[in-house]
Amino acid sequence: MSLAHSRMVMMCGVFLLAALAFFAGCASQPPPPPPPAAAPPLPERPAPQRADLTFAQGIAYAVDDLFIQLQRLPAFAPRAGGAEAKRSVIVADTIIDAPTGQQTQATLLAEAFVYERTQAKFKQFDVYAATPEFLKRAEDVVTSTVTPVMNEKGLYRLNMSMTETRAGLVVAQSAARVRDDSVDVTPTPFFRESPAIAKDRVIEGQIKTAETAAAQPADAVYIERLPTSAVVNEGMAAINVGKFAEALPYYEEAAKRQDGQQLRVYNGLYMIYWNLGRSGEAEAAFGKIVALGLATNNLAVKFLFRPGSTDFWPDTKISGPYPVWLRQIAVQMKDTKSCLRIVGHTSRTGSEVNNERLSLRRADVIKARLIAESREPASRIETAGVGSRENIVGSGTD
């Protein structure tokens, strides 16, 4: 019987809050950046008529296609008199899983393949991670996503685009279809431990840009916020290896920026403060997560339950902050006069009849805790259970 996710939908102002019952459980890079993970040798570019490639072959094909398109542009063609073609600095943004907006072990491996392939095959271009230092020097940015194909186990689509940052125009786009059962979609520590799912407007723009055809405009919000995203990327890399004190300056800088009021930023601040033992600042950061989520109709908070139970997960490292989260959700709900619809979930283990009942009971637990915190009338909160029918990617089984 299984883990749960519970989702709350506001009806009086229509916002989505998920009390999700799943929980899977550095600084600047010098040029050229070390790959995030050790990557095996890449194969030669496969023939385009092959429908399903391995993960490594798919990255090789997509990278080759993208950079060959770039080489064909007049700006990068060989110069008259036999002079070498123009060299260019290009940055590659963090690759994400498109359905969730998360960084995963698979996307980290994809980044390693991208750096290795470009360094080996396209020496005309200097490709670096999208850090603030290199973004200032870059003329183009590579934006990529990995997308599981619905109802097709082990089948994925890779999308990559190249955008000229000043014009905001996509100049090349490539895609590949891969079939590989070894693809690991486990979220990285930042996303696995974030209190809220952070698929916000910037992430949506990143996904859209990766899929945009050449000669079409990239998503304007995504391109405009690249400098702040570069700061967040460096902080996220530090959190992923447990260097919270080193990550803090990046997130504090991002939060001060006009476009830094993002769920990713407040998630980072919350995790840093909590892990550094600064509980008051952690709760304040979580309050901003909830407030921003309510204001943008985009809030999803994760709670983990014991398998087959309505009790929270017993490991206090995971469930210890839950009272803080519930308190802040209740406070913000009261301040905004929000109405909530709480939807409970389970994983796929066990019979669906029992999972339906368990998911509803879990939603009722969240409702009771919120009412106890805020003294809000029960009429403003309703519950439902969907069992495992809307299972969240990455939650898995017990």
Side-chain angles (χ1 to χ4, degrees), residues 292-366:
L292 182 59
L294 292 173
T296 59
N297 298 334
N298 181 28
L299 178 63
V301 178
K302 301 179 293 187
F303 295 91
L304 178 67
F305 291 88
R306 293 178 59 185
S309 170
T310 57
D311 296 330
F312 289 139
W313 192 254
D315 185 351
T316 56
K317 184 178 179 181
I318 293 173
S319 59
Y322 288 0
V324 172
W325 298 2
L326 289 163
R327 180 164 62 246
Q328 282 299 319
I329 293 169
V331 167
Q332 298 297 333
M333 176 190 169
K334 185 173 184 179
D335 290 347
T336 59
K337 303 300 180 185
S338 306
C339 298
L340 301 179
R341 182 171 186 264
I342 308 172
V343 183
H345 300 252
T346 69
S347 69
R348 296 187 177 94
T349 305
S351 74
E352 192 53 38
V353 171
N354 288 336
N355 283 339
E356 292 274 346
R357 295 170 181 165
L358 176 61
S359 63
L360 178 58
R361 289 167 55 209
R362 286 170 166 171
D364 287 337
V365 165
I366 300 295

Side-chain angles (χ1 to χ4, degrees), residues 169-193:
L169 189 70
V170 173
V171 295
Q173 201 273 341
S174 65
R177 175 175 148 128
V178 305
R179 186 179 294 276
D180 195 330
D181 290 333
S182 68
V183 174
D184 184 357
V185 296
T186 304
T188 56
F190 176 89
F191 289 98
R192 192 170 64 243
E193 298 173 16

Side-chain angles (χ1 to χ4, degrees), residues 16-17 190-191 194-203 225 232 251 259-271 285-301:
L16 178 66
L17 165 77
F190 176 89
F191 289 98
S194 290
I197 296 174
K199 193 175 180 181
D200 56 18
R201 178 64 182 83
V202 176
I203 296 297
R225 298 188 180 184
V232 172
Y251 283 95
D259 62 352
Q261 314 308 303
Q262 303 177 24
L263 289 175
R264 289 186 300 166
V265 174
Y266 293 129
N267 269 329
L269 285 172
Y270 166 82
M271 286 188 286
F286 187 82
K288 291 182 179 179
I289 291 173
V290 178
L292 182 59
L294 292 173
T296 59
N297 298 334
N298 181 28
L299 178 63
V301 178

